[in-house]
Amino acid sequence: MMPRLILTVTLSAALAPLPCQAPAGYYLGESAFLPDSVREVLASGRFHVTIERVTADSFEAKLLMSAERLFPDSVTIGHAASRETLPAVVSGLKAAATAAGNRWWWSSFDDLWTPYAITGDAVQYYRQWVYGRASSGKNHGEFVYRARVAGIPPSRSDRASFVVRMEISLEYFCGILCGAGFRVERRVFFDAAGVPLRIEGDAKPMVVVS
């Protein structure tokens, strides 16, 4: 099912890359093609997708694209997963670890990957997941991704000059006692040259289930 576009703003132009470095425990994956701003209404208004990627200039756009390319390595996620003890959870995490692709996901709920880290690939995945649900002709839900770049005063930073703030949320309803949702945030800090210094917010997600 093709979505009806209510608002679409210019896509990011091709940009020269920033220094190819990553904080400890992370690596740079491929860039994902995302719109800067779009609102999609699907299935006669029962599903919505909103993407807002706000940058002031080409340098900030490069920072945002770099933040969306940073993936946690297997050791980073494995360390968090090692704290889980419930057999069903451990089994799900083992299956998640063997799935193909640059891993941004934690585990799964039904047929839905839950997010450990916000990346461009994650945004594409949830957008497509909503398309699939909307095409089924029933239920309703919403996916939102918002990201923006902010400067950091020198007095408040440890070499960080910029922070990219990213947030995704998903709500899906399939009945009175049927549904799931989550909201997660990520903050990626960069120095004045655009080198990523550290990442905050990546963690096991809290998923609300009804």
Side-chain angles (χ1 to χ4, degrees):
M1 174 180 295
M2 293 298 293
R4 178 163 59 91
L5 301 184
I6 287 188
L7 175 65
T8 305
V9 182
T10 313
L11 300 178
S12 293
L15 300 167
L18 289 169
C20 293
Q21 300 181 33
Y26 289 85
Y27 66 93
L28 284 169
E30 297 298 319
S31 297
F33 184 72
L34 298 174
D36 287 331
S37 181
V38 65
R39 185 182 177 201
E40 299 170 317
V41 179
L42 306 95
S44 302
R46 289 185 292 104
F47 286 85
H48 296 82
V49 173
T50 300
I51 296 175
E52 296 176 359
R53 301 166 71 245
V54 180
T55 57
D57 50 38
S58 61
F59 181 74
E60 288 194 359
K62 293 176 187 178
L63 294 179
L64 174 53
M65 291 175 68
S66 292
E68 292 170 339
R69 292 177 57 200
L70 287 165
F71 291 83
D73 60 32
S74 58
V75 174
T76 300
I77 300 181
H79 179 71
S82 67
R83 304 188 187 103
E84 301 296 331
T85 58
L86 292 176
V89 175
V90 172
S91 177
L93 288 168
K94 287 182 177 179
T98 61
N102 292 316
R103 185 177 176 184
W104 50 264
W105 55 88
W106 172 250
S107 188
S108 63
F109 173 76
D110 287 341
D111 66 339
L112 175 70
W113 287 123
T114 57
Y116 180 89
I118 299 175
T119 68
D121 284 359
V123 175
Q124 287 185 328
Y125 168 83
Y126 290 118
R127 189 182 185 188
Q128 292 297 323
W129 188 88
V130 170
Y131 289 175
R133 289 291 175 165
S135 67
S136 70
K138 56 184 178 180
N139 308 326
H140 62 280
E142 180 178 33
F143 170 65
V144 178
Y145 170 52
R146 291 189 172 93
R148 64 178 58 245
V149 183
I152 301 175
S155 60
R156 300 181 184 177
S157 72
D158 51 351
R159 293 196 302 126
S161 296
F162 300 93
V163 58
V164 177
R165 301 183 182 276
M166 310 157 74
E167 175 186 325
I168 61 174
S169 62
L170 177 71
E171 293 183 340
Y172 173 67
F173 302 95
C174 48
I176 297 176
L177 295 177
C178 176
F182 56 76
R183 177 181 174 274
V184 297
E185 298 180 1
R186 187 189 219 194
R187 297 169 297 281
V188 183
F189 294 84
F190 293 84
D191 68 12
V195 176
L197 302 173
R198 69 180 188 278
I199 297 173
E200 297 177 355
D202 291 1
K204 169 186 175 180
M206 179 178 293
V207 179
V208 178
V209 178
S210 62

